[in-house]
Amino acid sequence: MTHHNQTPIPELYVSEDAAAALKHEAGNMPSWDLTPRQLCDLELLMNGGFNPLKGFLTEADYDGVVNEMRLQSGALWPMPITLDVSEKFAEGLEPGTDIALRDAEGVILAIMSVTDKWVPNKSHEAEKVFGADDLAHPAVNYLHNTAGPVYLGGPVKGLQAPTHYDFRGRRNTPNELRAQFKKLGWTRVVVFQTRNPLHRAHQELTFRAAREAQANLMIHPVVGMTKPGDVDHFTRVRCYEAVLDKYPSATTTLSLLNLAMRMGGPREAVWHGLIRKNHGATHFIVGRDHAGPGKNSAGVDFYGPYDAQELFRKHEAEIGVELVDFKHMVYVQERAQYEPADEIEEGVTVLNISGTELRRRLREGLEIPEWFSFPEVVTQLRRTSPPRARQGFTVFFTGLSGSGKSTIANALMVKLMEMGGRPVTLLDGDVVRKHLSSELGFSKEHRDINIKRIGYVASEITKNGGIAICAPIAPYTATRRAVREMVEQYGAFVEVHVATALEECERRDRKGLYKLAREGKIKEFTGISDPYEEPKQPELRVDTQDVDVDSCAHQVLLTLENMGLIGLN
Ligand SMILES: Nc1ncnc2c1ncn2[C@@H]1O[C@H](COP(=O)(O)OS(=O)(=O)O)[C@@H](OP(=O)(O)O)[C@H]1O
Ligand SMILES: Nc1ncnc2c1ncn2[C@@H]1O[C@H](COP(=O)(O)OP(=O)(O)O)[C@@H](O)[C@H]1O
């Protein structure tokens, strides 16, 4: 007996021989380097994950999908899968042209026969697909600020799958899963979609969902692109592997989906259902606020908590996958177990830890109880998110020449090394100019390059858990902000304005440079013949006049302690 979740579905790959020949031809075609998101989309187009799509949407299909969630064929499809390109690439590219699609290394993965080229109305797309043209929505922001202005559409011939080096054994195409389910005799499969680490509540709810549907369970986390700020997929997969052991053996499987999520709520839920159908699912768990993007720019949720379930239910038959209600599970202290929230009588003690609270506990190194999460999961999360006092950070001194940046920075470095625990690197202005920026002068352009190099090195040090102390003049606000953004991806950025007055710096004139600058022998000298834009809101401002070095350095330490970056005892 064959079951509908076990027969193969169409893929877009050509045969190996054909691929070899086409690859040769493709070398001469106009060539497009796929963005990370397009790479995810292409993989699912080629392996059938986006079945029935045969390529990137044509203009007519795009209009149908945007306005009515339907392809020209009438088939349900809620999400525009488009090849957005630059104006430069689109210029002169005539419909009828074949183009080569390459990955980041330049490997040709597919050939697309361009049938359509158009300039989309992105605001209309945002309104229709995501419900609002509001940049607080990550996909709308992507649409306006990352995606190219021109869309290309047309069928795709797959030459080879994108290469993944991580968790290879856990990545499966739709047909691999279908074959696996056939082999195992899994005719009913409940899929759980997730972009977060699984805690005990999730384990309980997925286990119950499978039992109620009398089905096997597949945890199917997204490892392509999720919501900015999510736990990285490497950490999450280690967590999922730990949770997998908690299910009865041979009932549950884990497979990774290289999907680029849009956080499109209701439409995304329907899309997820269609994708899971292709991957052999018969049932799909849709919860509260499925694929929710959070709050809009007015501070209100983009979608109602059950909008996704509603839209899914409306199209359930066509999706071909049964919706399984997410039971909101809570921990009942008296009975020391998880139970569905709607089945609990009054008067019992229900415990919960929100995502925000969990992040706070990780950040501050506080206890995370066993009733909330499995110890193996907590261990993985703690490895990735150590408390702030063990994370890397950057202290960035800025101020005029002779203000005292190097002197305070050196004192701070020694005090931090005395405390120990983290490696410390001092990127002093003079030292950097000797080693990193020896070819640069003091024009605005060169100063910016210099500061960005310092910022890049500091961000790498911060990423790897060290302390970077920088002490350049860094006279421009915009450049300092750029460095802050680079560093804050990985840890705290502490800007210290050494606000010694110009007259005092000039009076000290430690290197005799002010005198030369006054005499015009040094050009573009900061404070004399070149600008210094004072920081408006530094984490700390110190004045060195009539204050000794020690107490300046101590003020910095106190700031670091207040920010939770060091423990002073
Ligand atoms: N024209 C001009 N303007 C400013 N400074 C000059 C100039 N020429 C040489 N110097 C010496 O170079 C040091 C400043 O380099 P920075 O890398 O910190 O400058 S910047 O941040 O790129 O603007 C600075 O060192 P500090 O005194 O430690 O600040 C000066 O000694
Ligand atoms: N509280 C203070 N902090 C830092 N430097 C001070 C202080 N008071 C006096 N100074 C003196 O000011 C000068 C600062 O020079 P330096 O640290 O090289 O400045 P910069 O690196 O900003 O050019 C040194 O001679 C230092 O001894």
Side-chain angles (χ1 to χ4, degrees), residues 242-303:
V243 174
L244 202 55
D245 294 341
K246 312 295 175 190
Y247 295 91
S249 61
T251 62
T252 302
T253 188
L254 167 67
S255 180
L256 309 182
L257 180 66
N258 195 41
L259 173 70
M261 288 181 72
R262 276 39 168 190
M263 309 313 300
R267 279 201 186 215
E268 180 124 0
V270 171
W271 187 40
H272 286 176
L274 291 166
I275 294 167
R276 269 39 183 250
K277 159 93 179 168
N278 289 327
H279 285 80
T282 57
H283 296 69
F284 185 59
I285 300 173
V286 181
R288 205 179 165 281
D289 196 28
H290 187 98
K295 301 206 183 300
N296 66 19
S297 50
V300 181
D301 283 337
F302 274 96
Y303 313 116

Side-chain angles (χ1 to χ4, degrees), residues 205-451:
L205 93 87
T206 50
F207 178 66
R208 272 172 189 258
R211 203 173 53 195
E212 279 166 28
Q214 296 185 24
N216 291 96
L217 175 67
M218 177 160 77
I219 314 286
H220 206 197
V222 172
V223 297
M225 292 167 77
T226 62
K227 196 170 154 187
D230 281 348
V231 178
D232 71 90
H233 85 267
F234 297 102
T235 305
R236 284 191 287 117
V237 175
R238 293 195 296 269
C239 291
Y240 302 136
E241 289 182 333
V243 174
L244 202 55
D245 294 341
K246 312 295 175 190
Y247 295 91
S249 61
T251 62
T252 302
T253 188
L254 167 67
S255 180
L256 309 182
L257 180 66
N258 195 41
L259 173 70
M261 288 181 72
R262 276 39 168 190
M263 309 313 300
R267 279 201 186 215
E268 180 124 0
V270 171
W271 187 40
H272 286 176
L274 291 166
I275 294 167
R276 269 39 183 250
K277 159 93 179 168
N278 289 327
H279 285 80
T282 57
H283 296 69
F284 185 59
I285 300 173
V286 181
R288 205 179 165 281
D289 196 28
H290 187 98
K295 301 206 183 300
N296 66 19
S297 50
V300 181
D301 283 337
F302 274 96
Y303 313 116
Y306 298 104
D307 289 2
Q309 288 188 351
E310 211 171 284
L311 191 70
F312 194 105
R313 202 157 261 134
K314 195 168 148 203
H315 297 285
E316 197 172 18
E318 237 180 312
I319 298 168
V321 169
E322 237 177 87
L323 181 144
V324 178
D325 229 311
F326 173 102
K327 296 266 185 302
H328 183 58
M329 304 294 294
V330 292
Y331 187 76
V332 180
Q333 191 175 31
E334 283 82 355
R335 294 191 281 272
Q337 63 181 8
Y338 277 85
E339 295 174 17
D342 56 4
E343 291 173 19
I344 290 169
E345 72 276 18
E346 274 189 27
V348 296
T349 319
V350 163
L351 302 181
N352 193 22
I353 291 181
S354 68
T356 311
E357 172 64 9
L358 175 65
R359 282 188 291 276
R360 186 184 76 90
R361 291 189 185 205
L362 285 170
R363 197 168 55 239
E364 296 179 14
L366 302 176
E367 195 224 344
I368 294 164
E370 271 200 42
W371 63 259
F372 177 74
S373 197
F374 301 105
E376 298 91 329
V377 171
V378 174
T379 303
Q380 292 301 337
L381 294 177
R382 284 202 199 281
R383 274 177 69 194
T384 302
S385 316
R388 263 196 143 187
R390 261 188 267 134
Q391 285 175 20
F393 64 88
T394 291
V395 180
F396 190 95
F397 290 94
T398 168
L400 297 171
S401 174
S403 58
K405 303 181 299 294
S406 318
T407 308
I408 304 171
N410 271 295
L412 176 68
M413 175 171 75
V414 170
K415 285 175 192 284
L416 288 169
M417 287 168 67
E418 185 183 315
M419 287 179 194
R422 278 170 288 195
V424 188
T425 297
L426 176 57
L427 297 162
D428 196 8
D430 309 312
V431 179
V432 169
R433 284 206 168 255
K434 197 153 153 206
H435 296 290
L436 269 185
S437 297
S438 55
E439 86 285 21
L440 299 180
F442 290 90
S443 64
K444 171 163 195 314
E445 191 194 357
H446 277 192
R447 287 180 197 263
D448 283 352
I449 296 172
N450 179 44
I451 298 306

